[in-house]
Amino acid sequence: MAGGTNASITLLVEIFDPQAMWDHALGIFAGASLPYKIHDQADPTRVGDELHDGFVAMCGSRDDPDICECLRQIFDPVECPPGVQIDDSTAELAPPTCDEKYPHFIGDRGELGVDGFGAGHE
């Protein structure tokens, strides 16, 4: 194929356990970085501390994770699939729904009346 074809992939995900997501992203980050690190016999925890500190600088702490950076670690592969060149990746938080943004202004959404607006007209 002479030229390339550009494409975009979008995933919409729900994060229901940010700490589990952070743990997984750290594992991916460490796994990709470990082959390039040298184990120090004199200080065996140095590599782990260095990887952890680098990850926290990029993705935040486990108690306050940077959701978007964690998602990029999880879904942007270290190596490109065969025949594909990943040029860039982004992750952004979806805007809150009206129910989430204005919980005190949304009334009970029980059964509507026959006119669809809550009143029973005949």
Side-chain angles (χ1 to χ4, degrees), residues 9 14 17-18 22 32 43-44 46 57 89 98 101 109-110 112-113 118 120:
I9 298 172
E14 176 183 359
D17 188 342
W22 188 91
D43 186 5
R46 180 186 61 81
S89 68
C98 285
K101 196 170 183 179
R109 292 195 174 172
L112 297 176

Side-chain angles (χ1 to χ4, degrees), residues 6 10 32 44 51 60 73 86 99 101 105 120:
N6 291 330
T10 302
L51 286 173
Q73 282 296 314
I86 298 173
D99 290 351
K101 196 170 183 179
F105 297 107

Side-chain angles (χ1 to χ4, degrees), residues 76-88:
D76 190 351
V78 175
E79 293 183 19
C80 293
V84 176
Q85 173 63 46
I86 298 173
D87 294 326
D88 192 16

Side-chain angles (χ1 to χ4, degrees), residues 11 13 28 70-77 86 89:
L11 300 171
V13 298
I28 291 171
C70 286
L71 291 174
R72 288 185 64 216
Q73 282 296 314
I74 293 168
F75 291 106
D76 190 351
I86 298 173
S89 68

